Amino acid sequence: MKIGQLDLGERPVLLAPMEDVTDMPFRRLCKGYGADLMYTEFVSADAIVRDIKSSMKKLDIEDRERPVGVQIYGREIEPMVEAAKIVEASGPDIIDINFGCPVKKIAGKGAGAGMLRDIPKMVEMTRQIVRAVDHTPVTVKTRLGWDENSKYVVDTAERLQDVGISAITIHGRTRSQMYTGEADWTLIGEVKRNPRMTIPVIGNGDIDSAVKAREAFDRYGVDAVMIGRASIGKPWIFEEVKHYLATGEELPEVSVGEVARRLARQLDDTVAWIGDERRGILHIRRHIAVSFKGIPNFKEKRVRLLRAESVSEIKEMLRELE
């Protein structure tokens, strides 16, 4: 699969952009486990234009991570165009437009999935961003529609292709569904089967195992799959998927002790990157919360881990699990 001149090979597996998750340390982990393309946390166009320090930090990319895309969101065309120019200057491999985030603070203000209520504006915004960017491929991530009565993604994808995007990622839910229920891949498959579509179509939603990833390729014909929430606490899901796609065999489950060792390394990397022990611990707690999911009689240990307030305390508890 190629996005512009970027060749990702056959059946690539991508890391989805996620706020407070896909920071540099986490991307490095996912890259090590085989993710073919990763995205930064999504960044507000207004914050980029205003040069907000915390938002600009999200644009930092190390060469060893590449290829990496930067995803931007906003509700007005002019600041989105300006932000795209600034982002391109920072040197990402891809600029992705967020037309899919369903959370109220974004979609409710007309950005993210909120743009699904104004398709003409979505298309015009995309057109102007593509024209403003000199050499970086522009892609889009979106949803099936705003609600059950407005699933226009087949037509919308075609219109976005016609204004110059290089690939489209589709999450198999409407904005109204948020993250509830099961993702519906049938319309993603329809977009891919549309004879007028020539750009890569990337499927997203509920890919939480190697078996589901292969089914997405085989049943719906997508060019790539994107994994989001299933990678939290389990970045090695990329290794599992890639191995299964290549061999048809599933890797054995990672032991509790090995999970603990990997989490300890992630903790060190995150605290070092943030530069503050307390904020680093707060940042990684969502990973701690799900890393040992499904282990019997683990509730008390999980609570202790989440309440720990120092790196040494967390690492001591993790060593007890080895």
Side-chain angles (χ1 to χ4, degrees), residues 303-315:
V303 170
R304 286 176 57 214
L305 280 165
L306 293 174
R307 288 178 176 173
E309 297 187 353
S310 71
V311 169
S312 59
E313 185 181 358
I314 294 172
K315 293 180 82 170

Side-chain angles (χ1 to χ4, degrees), residues 197-267:
M197 290 296 292
T198 58
I199 61 172
V201 176
I202 302 158
N204 174 229
D206 294 351
I207 300 296
D208 58 8
S209 70
V211 172
K212 285 187 179 180
R214 190 169 78 173
E215 180 186 19
F217 283 116
D218 293 345
R219 184 173 180 182
Y220 301 103
V222 292
D223 298 286
V225 296
M226 180 178 283
I227 297 176
R229 289 174 294 162
S231 68
I232 301 174
K234 190 181 177 180
W236 50 91
I237 190 172
F238 295 98
E239 182 177 51
E240 294 177 350
V241 171
K242 299 285 284 187
H243 182 82
Y244 188 68
L245 290 175
T247 68
E249 299 176 354
E250 295 185 70
L251 289 173
E253 284 288 323
V254 177
S255 69
V256 173
E258 181 59 24
V259 171
R261 285 187 287 272
R262 293 178 182 185
L263 190 57
R265 292 194 293 271
Q266 184 180 354
L267 174 64

Side-chain angles (χ1 to χ4, degrees), residues 140-195:
V140 160
K141 186 170 190 283
T142 189
R143 288 184 168 233
L144 303 180
W146 177 258
D147 56 25
E148 192 67 24
N149 299 315
S150 58
K151 294 182 177 179
Y152 306 134
V153 70
V154 176
D155 176 69
T156 301
E158 194 174 306
R159 293 174 66 181
L160 292 168
Q161 173 184 256
D162 290 347
V163 298
I165 64 170
S166 297
I168 186 167
T169 302
I170 303 168
H171 182 100
R173 289 181 173 87
T174 64
R175 187 273 169 179
S176 296
Q177 286 180 274
M178 301 292 286
Y179 295 102
T180 61
E182 292 185 4
D184 178 6
W185 280 68
T186 57
L187 282 178
I188 302 175
E190 283 190 36
V191 173
K192 178 58 189 174
R193 289 190 295 272
N194 179 355

Side-chain angles (χ1 to χ4, degrees), residues 33-67:
Y33 289 117
D36 294 294
L37 171 66
M38 303 176 293
Y39 292 83
T40 64
E41 302 169 71
F42 47 83
V43 194
S44 161
D46 291 334
I48 293 171
V49 172
R50 290 162 53 203
D51 197 26
I52 302 299
K53 184 178 180 181
S54 58
S55 295
M56 298 305 290
K57 184 176 175 64
K58 294 178 181 180
L59 305 184
D60 291 344
I61 296 170
E62 291 184 336
D63 283 342
R64 58 177 165 163
E65 302 178 66
R66 293 184 184 277

